Structures are given as structure tokens and as C-alpha cells.
């Protein structure tokens, strides 16, 4: 076996099933090795940000990494911003980046750049392989470290890929282990919650998956505490049979208002909430300084385990005894009629989304009313733009659909953000992925208009407007979708959206629906 | 004036005329300032790689920078790979990147990342402003350093943009100065060329612009030396009235063959040529080690001045006495007929390109036969993918058209590379830019097939093929173009290409022509 074959064999043994690739000459041996050592499904993306965003979606859904295969520094650079989102989501991702042959680097050929410096900006672990023999160990370490919920980036020189490597057994995967929960902190949290009736659990990580949410519901049942998630959770299970977790609003005033109801906060898997941007006169940290705060887990501990321990410490009712109540909530109101607005679009989606749906939400301003409508929807999963780097939605939906082929993926997608990584549609077409992309077409970076208004710029000048409006020309989303092999349609009423959404959900393969929205003023 | 207004006022005074922007909340004060202090033309790009690639094209054409306005680390990251090309081209570019308010950084809000580390990977100069008052000086320094042919990146915290800054005079521009040419090296080069009849001038930088080329032609006339440019020059003037400069082939064997004709090399503005990738058994450096080499200028010296000094030292004939010969060459053969192949497509373009055309060549394998056909074409400029990071062509063409609105821009564009920064088309439509995009549609990363073949993989497996073929589905370029407001058409014969190219050149505004190419085997 050569180094590249060892790389693929080790990745396979470590559980890698998918390779999201935009490769070049320096990665050719890895491409060839995927045929020689078959088992990994190669998926071509026509831009690197699609690869990395898809790996983020894949990692969020399955809790284990896909491999991303990228070409040298410039190729990796194109993937950085979606890796930033993945890092904030705690997604396991394994990047493999080809490097020039070791003896060629000093020539400073055109594509040469400092890959390590780029990798360091987003990776929890990164390394350049030091010999052909070390590649297998390096891949194993990359997978292991990624399983802690972080980005691993392995840079592999082309000559090491090609060189004969030892044929010893490739190392197997090392399952991740959480550190045990701190019993002292559990006891402290239980005391706080038992005596304080204005308390909230701030949930993140494993706390937003079914096991954690069930324990949180038990805690809520015994203490009456609130359940809150940060504005942009990486992965959130939701709907009938699960407790309703309040999502912190994006606007700092609204977020403060929600949090100010509470006197005590127990943070379980979530960091302390901060404002998205720094606004003059508003503190960065949203919890008032006079409130009690207890951070119950580190990032190396399991939030779900901590929540279970806390529920037990509080002598909370069993899950079975409360589960019935959570299944009794009415689902969202029916499909509305008439003009398509952000509100009526969200209501339509909330009404029609099927059980098991994966909602990839990059709807931004158009989707603010969506979340509260779905506490009673059939069980589903919500993914959001954790790192705030737009252009995450379409790739993330692509990766989620690869990870979970039996689940319908619905991507609520702002138009401005959609353009960043629009190439995703082609991969959705090639792989026949069951993704319905709902373009919220308001023909502006509407969120920037809101930010201008809150900064006191109520009558922006022509220069400013030219940089926040997406008109002149309007983007024709139907043509762009069909240009990449995805059936597309434009709707302007709620009825038509309902009709097309039902059809898209019923039919296999990708669909794009442009929702032309009548927007309120900023 | 606040900091943002001082920023804009200083940029204006320093000669900045265009701002290529994809801004967000942290850059809002700069947007507003462009209305308050008018004079800079704001141009919206729907992806950051379009902004930076356009700034590269703009900088190459005019030799002075546009301003690029980007949003925090993730926004800058999306621009890095085209900045890499700009760096290799020696393009002047000034990036302005918004940063969170200084007091908000420690909150580690979602978008926070290490912008300085990213900036360091491509910038010759980068800095974070340390106070509102320092912004004006920082902008002036950014412009000045960029004029040395490099990337300047200024990071400006949002609170400094908003704060009142002193109203003192904003600093004016500092014109760049080259260091004087080394007379001793000129004398040595003259001696070498006078006694050696197998010599070549390797030209780069200012040596490939009219003044440098005229001096090179004089040197060629008196010594018989060859004139050679590296494979991917940043900016090259060409056509009737200018000497024919041989372009080093991409394939290392062909490049070696060309160079092995010569015994002596004088490098004037070009680095020593190296292979694009490291190929086993082929040295990185293409000039055989036994040849004489003389590097005549540093990057701080003017290659054109050095060439003129060398011509004078050699007592070369005057430009006027040789210019007539260079205007006598026949232009390219006429428009061919029949099936569209890479060869017939290149012949058609070479035959029809008008005087003053700017040829942005990212045609890769489809365009290899183009260059030799145009030595006798009407005078034109050629820009190529200097850093090898694909996705440069469409943005670069966009920026070249903004810089030179009176010159027709023809972008010979490989289909795979086109997808990286396809959002460029929208900006071309909005700004009514006179760009004709010729998509070389071979529905594969054909260059990778060639690289596979040379690595001995003549029968690639299905996994490998799935990652180098762009079919299933075929991309419909006409629909994509029209979806972004650019008229598009597909042609399959040379006659039709000629017809549509004539029309596109005659009509103002952008056009896209998909050339469906019959390709030879790899």
C-alpha cells in the first residue's frame, strides 16, 4: 500500500463513510486510492465551501465525521468560513488537505501558501504528516480528535501519498470518551433550582438532543424552571413529545427581556449568551451581572449525562410519567392564504413539515417567526448558522441529506446567503438528495437594513442602499436551480407555496421553491 | 468626522475610486460614510471571492488599488484564495475588514475569529487600527504599501469607525518609488548577452508592459536573445507592434524543452521558473543547473527601467528603428468552420478579438492553443491565473471591466473553474460591464485527467472519475447566466461562436457564450 491507500484504509476502519471532495493534482493519489480500497463514498462539490458546509451538516446529524478532501492552501481557504460554523457547532469534521511534494515546497510554486496558518484558524487539531508511515496514525488521530466535536485538519504531502508505506495493520478507531460529570456541581445546581423558582436551564450540545431534552423536561416538571437555547444552536431536536425550548432572540433587547425573567441560570452545554455584535450601550453578556450563574459541564463532559444526574438529584418524575403531556400539544395552525409574507411563509412551512424533517434554517430575517410555530409540529431536527458566517445553509442541507437519506431536508434559505454557496444545488442534483430549498426572496440583505435602522440610519443614501439591496437585476432562482439540475419554481402566494411544498416533499430528489416575499419596511 | 468618514476621506485623497464590497453590520459605518463623503463608487459583489478577484483585475489593469470591504474573519476568509492570486500577480489591493467593537471581542461572539492570522497568509502589510485617530494614517499607509504591488489589509474595529476622530487634514497619498537599478548588474547582463548567442530574457512585472517590452525588443534586435515569460504572467501586453514573448508551457517537459535551447538567462522581473507541481524525477527548477543565470532586479526595482538601461548599455537600435517590423506580422488565421474543439474555439477568438481587448485567460486545458495564435492580433492585454487558485477568471474580468470601461473584456473561462465564483455574473449585470464570458464547457476538470494520465492512471476507476467529471447533471450555463441577469447562449460550432462573439463584442454590457467543446481523450 502507498501512503494514500493507507490513508483511505485507516479512514474506512475509523468509520469514515463519505468523502466530500474538491481535489486537485496534489490529492490525486487519494482519489485513486478510494477506488483501490473501496468503501468510502466520494461526493463531488463544485466549491470547497460546499464540501466543508456539507461536512458540518453531516457531522451534526450523525455525530461522526465525513472526510473533506481539499486542494492545497487556496482550496482549504475557500472552505474556512463554513469550517468556522462547524467549529461553533461542535461538529466533528476531518479535513485532508494535499500539500506539494516535500522537496517541491521550497520552490515556492504558484499554489504554495502557509496551509498550517490557515488550518490553525479553525481547527482544534492540525498536523502535517511527517512521513509516509505516519499517515495511518495521523488519520486515526484526526478522526479521534474530531469525535470530541472539533475540526481536525491533516495536511499530507503528495510524495508521502505516493510512497510505499509499511503494510502493518492500520490503527482502529478510538471511541471518544466524555469525562465524568462533576457530582459537586450537580449537587450545587440541584440546590439552586430547588430553592429558586425563577430559574432557567441554558441548554447546548448534547442537552439539545433527545436524551438531554427528556432529562431537561423532567427537571422542568419538578422545578418549573425555564428551558432556553442560545440563538443559534448547532443541533436541536424539537416537536411533539419533546419539551418546548425557548430560543433566544437575535435582537439584544428581546434577548435581554427573555433572560431578565430569570434570577438563576444553570448552563448545561451552552456558553454564556452574548450579543451577536457589539452595540453601544448594551453589554456583550446578556445575563445581567447580578444574576446567579452555574456552568455545570465543560466541553469534555456530556451535557445529557449531567442533565440526567441533575434530574435524579432533584428526584424529578420519570420521563414516562410526563411524556404524555408533551404529546398533547396542538400542532401549528393550518396553511394560510393570500400574499406571501415572512409570517405566512413560516406558517405554511410549520404546518406542512413532515415527521422526521431536518430543518436547516438560514432564513435570517424571513424566518424569525418560524421557530415559535413548531413546538407542536411532528418531531424534527433544527440546524442553525452557529458561527454567523452566511452561506452555510445550502451546503449544510446537502450534508444532512447525505447523512440521513431517509429524512426529508427542508432548507429555509435567505436569498443573499444562498448566493454564497449556490453550487450546492449541483451536488444535490447529482446525488439525488431529498432537499427542498425554500428561497426567502426579499431581494435585499434585509438584516443589514434592520441593523442600519437600529443604528439610527433610517434613510440610507444611494451608496449604502446599493450595497444592501439585491435587486437590479433580480436573481431568477428558478433559472439558477434548473441550470444546476434542480427543478425550480417561483411562488408568490401561501396557497401556491403549500402546493409546491407538498409536491417537493412527496417527490424524491432536490427541489427549489423561490418564495417571493412581500416585506415590511425595515 | 467619525472614524469611518476619515477612512473614506483618506482613501479618496489617496486615489481610491472604487469599493468592491460585501459588507455586514460591523462595516455599516463605512457604507454610510461613502454617502456622507461621496466620491468612491460602491460595487456590490454577492460573494467575497468576487470582491477580491475583481480587486486583483482592477489592480492589474491600473497599477493602483481598489478598496475591498469585507465582513470580519469569515468574510475575509472567503476572499483569501483570490487574494493569493493577487499576491502572486503583484497586484495592489487594499482590504478593509470590519472587526467587532474592541470591547466586544473578548465575548467571543459567534463571528469572532483570528482575522490577523488570516490576513497574514496573503498580505504584504496588515494591521488592526489602534484608535479612531489612527485610522486615517493607517489607510494612507495601506494604500502606499499596496502601491509596491502587494496586498494591504486594514482591520478596523466597529467602535473606532463610529467614534469621533480628529478633524485634522487627512494625509495625502505617498507615490511609490522604485529603488534605482543596479548599474553593476546591468553591465554584467550586457556582457553576458553580448558574448552569448543562446541567451534569453525572462520577463515579468513591468517588463511585460509596453515600455519594458519595447526595451526588450531592442535588446532582442541587437543580441538575438529570446524573450520568455513565465507560464502565468499577471499582466502581459501583446499583439501587433509588440515583440512576441514566448510563454513557458504548463507541462514541465515542454517547459524544459523550451528553456534548454538557451545557455544563459537574464531574469528581469520574473522569478526563476519552477514546475507547477512536484513531479517525481523532474527537478522543481526548470533552468538546468549548468546554465548561467543573472537576476537583474529585485521586486523593489523597476524591470522596465532595467531593460532600458540594458538596451542602452548594449547600444541597441532605437525603438523607432525596429517598431515597423513588429507591425508587419500577419494576424491570426480566419474563423474556422465546423465542430467546436479547443483548437477551433481558440482560433475563432484569436481571429475576432478587437483592438484593446483585455483577455482574462482561465481557459486552462481548453486555451493552451490560444496564446501562440495572437502574436499578430491587434494590441491587447492578457491576464492569467498567477497563483493557480481557480475561480479567478470571472471576478478578475469583472474588475478589469470596472477599471477600463472603454476596453472590451473577453474572459476565456474553463467551466469547472467558473463555478467557484459564478456570482460574478450578477455584478457584471448590475454594473453593465462589457465582459464577454466564453465558457469552455468540456464538463470535466480536464486538467486533472491530464495529470492522472501523466501519473500513469490511464483507466481511472469510477470513484476517481466521479470526482473529475462535471456531468450528471450537465451544467446549463445559459440558464445560470440568465438567472443572474446576463444574456446567455450555447454554441456547438465555430461559425456560431463567431456569430455570437461578434454580437457580444458589438453590444454593450455582459454576455455569456457557452462553448460546448468536443474534447480529445486525456
Amino acid at each position: 500500500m502507498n501512503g494514500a491507500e493507507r490513508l483511505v484504509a485507516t479512514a474506512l476502519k475509523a468509520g469514515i463513510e463519505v468523502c466530500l471532495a474538491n481535489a486537485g493534482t496534489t490529492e490525486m493519489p487519494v482519489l485513486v486510492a478510494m477506488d483501490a480500497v473501496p468503501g468510502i463514498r466520494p461526493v463531488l462539490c463544485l466549491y470547497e465551501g460546499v464540501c466543508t458546509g456539507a461536512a458540518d451538516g453531516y457531522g451534526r446529524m450523525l455525530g461522526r465525521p465525513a472526510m473533506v478532501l481539499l486542494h492545497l492552501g487556496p482550496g482549504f481557504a475557500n472552505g474556512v468560513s463554513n469550517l468556522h460554523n462547524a467549529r461553533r457547532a461542535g461538529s466533528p469534521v476531518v479535513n485532508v488537505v494535499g500539500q506539494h511534494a516535500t522537496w517541491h515546497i521550497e520552490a515556492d510554486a504558484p499554489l504554495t501558501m502557509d496551509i498550517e496558518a490557515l488550518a490553525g484558524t479553525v481547527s482544534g487539531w492540525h498536523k502535517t504528516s511527517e512521513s509516509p508511515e505516519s499517515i495511518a496514525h495521523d488519520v486515526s488521530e484526526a478522526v479521534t480528535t474530531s469525535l470530541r466535536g472539533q475540526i481536525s485538519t491533516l495536511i499530507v504531502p503528495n510524495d508521502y501519498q505516493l510512497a510505499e508505506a509499511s503494510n502493518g495493520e492500520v490503527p482502529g478507531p478510538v471511541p471518544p470518551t466524555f469525562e465524568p460529570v462533576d457530582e459537586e456541581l450537580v449537587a450545587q445546581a440541584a440546590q439552586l433550582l430547588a430553592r429558586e423558582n425563577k430559574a432557567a436551564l441554558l441548554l447546548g450540545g448534547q442537552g439539545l438532543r433527545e436524551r438531554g431534552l427528556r432529562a431537561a423536561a423532567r427537571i422542568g416538571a419538578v422545578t418549573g424552571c425555564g428551558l432556553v437555547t442560545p440563538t443559534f444552536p448547532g443541533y436541536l431536536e424539537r416537536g411533539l413529545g419533546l419539551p418546548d425550548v425557548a430560543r433566544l432572540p437575535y435582537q439584544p433587547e428581546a434577548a435581554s427581556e427573555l433572560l431578565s425573567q430569570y434570577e438563576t441560570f444553570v448552563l448545561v452545554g451552552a456558553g454564556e449568551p452574548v450579543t451577536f455584535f457589539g452595540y453601544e450601550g448594551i453589554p456583550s453578556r446578556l445575563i445581567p451581572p447580578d444574576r446567579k450563574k452555574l456552568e455545570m459541564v465543560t466541553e469534555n463532559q456530556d451535557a445529557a449525562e449531567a442533565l440526567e444526574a441533575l434530574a435524579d438529584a432533584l428526584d424529578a418524575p420519570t420521563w414516562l410519567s410526563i411524556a404524555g403531556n408533551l404529546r398533547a400539544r396542538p400542532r401549528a395552525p393550518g396553511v394560510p392564504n393570500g400574499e406571501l409574507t415572512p409570517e405566512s411563509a413560516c406558517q405554511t412551512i410549520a404546518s406542512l413539515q413532515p415527521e422526521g424533517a431536518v430543518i436547516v434554517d438560514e432564513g435570517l430575517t424571513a424566518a424569525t417567526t418560524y421557530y415559535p410555530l413548531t413546538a407542536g409540529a411532528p418531531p424534527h431536527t433544527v440546524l442553525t448558522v452557529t458561527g454567523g458566517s452566511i452561506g452555510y445553509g445550502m451546503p449544510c442541507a446537502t450534508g444532512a441529506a447525505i447523512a440521513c437519506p431517509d429524512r426529508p431536508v427542508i432548507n429555509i434559505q435567505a436569498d443573499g446567503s444562498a448566493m454564497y454557496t449556490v453550487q450546492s444545488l449541483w451536488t444535490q442534483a447529482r446525488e439525488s438528495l431529498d432537499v427542498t430549498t425554500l428561497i426567502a426572496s426579499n431581494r435585499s440583505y434585509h438584516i443589514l437594513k434592520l441593523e442600519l435602522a437600529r443604528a439610527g440610519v433610517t434613510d440610507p443614501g444611494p451608496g449604502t442602499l446599493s450595497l444592501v439591496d439585491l435587486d437590479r437585476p433580480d436573481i431568477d432562482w428558478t433559472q439558477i436551480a434548473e441550470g444546476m439540475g434542480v427543478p425550480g419554481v417561483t411562488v408568490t402566494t401561501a396557497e401556491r407555496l403549500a402546493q409546491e411544498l407538498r409536491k417537493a416533499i412527496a417527490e424524491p430528489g432536490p427541489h427549489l421553491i423561490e418564495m417571493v416575499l412581500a416585506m415590511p419596511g425595515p
Side-chain angles (χ1 to χ4, degrees), chain A residues 237-252:
Chain A
E237 284 170 10
R238 185 158 172 79
L240 271 186
L242 288 171
D244 186 10
V245 179
R247 189 171 158 193
L248 264 191
Y250 170 83
Q251 297 287 0

Side-chain angles (χ1 to χ4, degrees), chain A residues 337-415:
Chain A
N337 284 317
E339 190 181 55
L340 208 51
T341 61
E343 293 70 26
S344 67
C346 289
Q347 196 179 324
T348 307
I349 302 162
S351 301
L352 297 181
Q353 65 181 60
E355 182 163 349
V358 180
I359 308 294
V360 178
D361 176 8
E362 197 179 26
L364 307 186
T365 55
T368 44
T369 61
Y370 165 77
Y371 186 82
L373 295 171
T374 48
H380 62 282
T381 299
V382 180
L383 314 182
T384 78
V385 57
T386 46
S389 179
I390 62 176
Y392 113 98
M394 287 179 153
C396 189
T398 304
I402 292 169
C404 302
D406 298 333
R407 298 181 64 175
V409 177
I410 297 176
N411 174 203
I412 308 176
Q413 183 58 54
D415 53 354

Side-chain angles (χ1 to χ4, degrees), chain A residues 23 83 93 102 114 128 161 166 195 225 404 406-407 432 461 482:
Chain A
L83 290 172
V93 174
T102 48
D114 187 346
T128 299
Q161 297 173 37
S166 83
R195 67 168 181 252
C225 70
C404 302
D406 298 333
R407 298 181 64 175
S432 300
E482 302 217 330

Side-chain angles (χ1 to χ4, degrees), chain A residues 59-101:
Chain A
R60 294 194 203 184
M61 293 311 298
L62 299 185
R64 55 191 168 80
M67 184 166 101
V68 175
L69 185 63
L70 300 178
H71 184 46
L72 291 156
F76 185 79
N78 285 337
V80 162
S81 63
N82 269 333
L83 290 172
H84 173 79
N85 286 319
R87 178 171 80 86
R88 294 287 186 189
S91 297
V93 174
V94 171
N95 299 309
V96 172
V97 185
Q99 170 61 295
H100 282 307

